[in-house]
Amino acid sequence: MLRLSKKTDYGLLALRYLAAEAPAGVASARAIAERYDIPVELLAKVLQQLARLGYVAAQKGAHGGYHLTRPASAISLAEIVQAIDGPLAITACGRDEEQCEQFGTCTVRDPLVRVTERILSVLQTMTLAEMVPGEGAMPMVWRGAAR
Amino acid sequence: MLRLSKKTDYGLLALRYLAAEAPAGVASARAIAERYDIPVELLAKVLQQLARLGYVAAQKGAHGGYHLTRPASAISLAEIVQAIDGPLAITACGRDEEQCEQFGTCTVRDPLVRVTERILSVLQTMTLAEMVPGEGAMPMVWRGAAR
DNA sequence: TAATATAGGACTAATCAGGTCGGAGTTGAG
DNA sequence: CTCAACTCCGACCTGATTAGTCCTATATTA
Ligand code: SF4
Ligand code: SF4
């Protein structure tokens, strides 16, 4: 029903925390999970994935944790979503060989990929920095930002 | 993973068929299902839902079928999606009382509803008529259509 | 009346997201 | 140097949502 997964939701929450509220920009999975009342292991998994993709760096051992590797203004919502949920696709035919039965006779595929591209561009124009009101840059250049 | 349901996909296919290819703008659920190799019963259910909402009208009995009640240019993709999949929501907190555990401590809710609104506007700017290349109006007023 | 079409509910099967478990690696105090 | 505590990490399990099926009732037309 056009919903993004809870994992993405949690990941977003965590990244925003690292960007805005974390003591020295560093926080452990446990700390973030307790702050937002999220299952620890699940959030850990999300952060692991983000670490694998290089959005955050992990520090093991005591007093370890995660920290951002890029400025929050350089991380788009689109990147986060795709890092966790995989490539953005509105339909089943969206990516890979995952094509549906009616791939051959389908007449709405092309219009829908156009829609997908536009949604992607919406996600790309929203950066992590714009999600934290006080901190970072909060540019007032909203209008005309499409595309 | 931000995908719209197969039902919506089928419904879209059916509506486009009624708008563009159907003999006299009328076709039965069976005919459409066979045309696109869709489970008949499932497509029937989708069309019933669309009929209930008033997007198509049903004619029972022999030589019956469905036909659009509005010009294709007056039906937006947003309407179709919401008619079949229910209200558009990116997150679990999106609608109703379906609120998640971290509703109270959540810090990303507001930005995400903004994103939802923008995605909705993308879907609203795409009409059924724009999905059939030859027929109907295909306006070239894409740029600057956001919001 | 026989054939064809929609209307609507209940039921089953498959898929996927959400959540859980135990283990491996690192750190730092003693 | 040793060891215990803390962290990340990968695989596994389970419940919820979706996709699809089946059956019965009702309406229309040839
Ligand atoms: S029906 Fe068409 S648009 Fe939908 S998944 Fe299949 S090929 Fe893609
Ligand atoms: S975590 Fe926040 S944005 Fe996500 S569903 Fe819960 S309240 Fe909504």
Side-chain angles (χ1 to χ4, degrees):
Chain A
M1 184 223 274
L2 207 50
R3 261 217 291 250
L4 51 82
S5 74
K6 209 95 190 197
K7 278 190 198 173
T8 302
D9 217 356
Y10 293 159
L12 211 50
L13 223 35
L15 289 179
R16 199 214 65 97
Y17 182 83
L18 288 178
E21 293 182 35
V26 178
S28 71
R30 178 179 310 276
I32 303 175
E34 283 174 0
R35 162 75 172 79
Y36 295 109
D37 200 29
I38 300 172
V40 188
E41 288 85 357
L42 184 54
L43 179 61
K45 194 183 337 201
V46 172
L47 286 167
Q48 286 163 30
Q49 175 73 11
L50 289 172
R52 218 173 297 137
L53 274 292
Y55 293 99
V56 298
Q59 180 61 25
K60 289 190 178 181
H63 302 86
Y66 294 94
H67 64 92
L68 294 180
T69 57
R70 288 199 245 162
S73 58
I75 303 179
S76 74
L77 181 53
E79 284 179 286
I80 302 171
V81 170
Q82 300 201 60
I84 300 174
D85 269 353
L88 182 67
I90 294 299
T91 59
C93 61
R95 304 287 168 184
D96 314 317
E97 302 302 321
E98 193 188 357
Q99 64 188 44
C100 77
E101 280 295 326
Q102 34 278 126
F103 189 91
T105 55
C106 182
T107 54
V108 297
R109 191 166 58 249
D110 284 5
L112 286 183
V113 306
R114 277 207 303 274
V115 170
T116 304
E117 286 165 7
R118 280 181 220 166
I119 290 179
L120 187 60
S121 87
V122 165
L123 297 182
Q124 280 168 344
T125 58
M126 170 78 83
T127 76
L128 190 56
E130 294 168 38
M131 292 193 180
V132 28
E135 203 143 342
M138 172 107 173
M140 288 295 176
V141 287
W142 270 129
R143 306 303 190 276
R147 176 113 224 183
Chain B
M1 183 223 273
L2 207 51
R3 259 217 291 252
L4 51 83
S5 75
K6 209 96 193 201
K7 277 191 196 173
T8 301
D9 217 356
Y10 293 158
L12 211 51
L13 223 35
L15 289 179
R16 200 215 66 99
Y17 181 83
L18 289 177
E21 294 183 36
V26 177
S28 71
R30 178 179 311 276
I32 302 175
E34 283 173 0
R35 163 77 172 78
Y36 294 108
D37 199 31
I38 299 172
V40 188
E41 332 282 353
L42 185 53
L43 179 62
K45 214 186 292 271
V46 172
L47 285 168
Q48 285 166 29
Q49 174 74 9
L50 289 173
R52 222 173 294 138
L53 274 290
Y55 293 99
V56 298
Q59 179 60 28
K60 288 190 176 183
H63 301 89
Y66 295 93
H67 65 91
L68 294 181
T69 57
R70 290 198 242 163
S73 58
I75 303 179
S76 74
L77 180 54
E79 284 179 287
I80 302 170
V81 170
Q82 300 201 60
I84 300 174
D85 268 355
L88 180 67
I90 295 300
T91 58
C93 62
R95 304 287 168 184
D96 314 318
E97 302 302 320
E98 193 187 358
Q99 62 188 45
C100 75
E101 281 293 327
Q102 34 278 127
F103 189 90
T105 55
C106 181
T107 54
V108 297
R109 191 165 58 249
D110 284 5
L112 286 183
V113 306
R114 276 209 303 273
V115 170
T116 305
E117 285 165 7
R118 279 182 221 167
I119 290 179
L120 187 60
S121 87
V122 165
L123 297 181
Q124 280 168 344
T125 58
M126 170 79 82
T127 76
L128 191 56
E130 292 167 40
M131 293 192 178
V132 28
E135 202 143 341
M138 173 106 173
M140 288 295 176
V141 287
W142 270 131
R143 305 305 189 272
R147 180 106 218 192

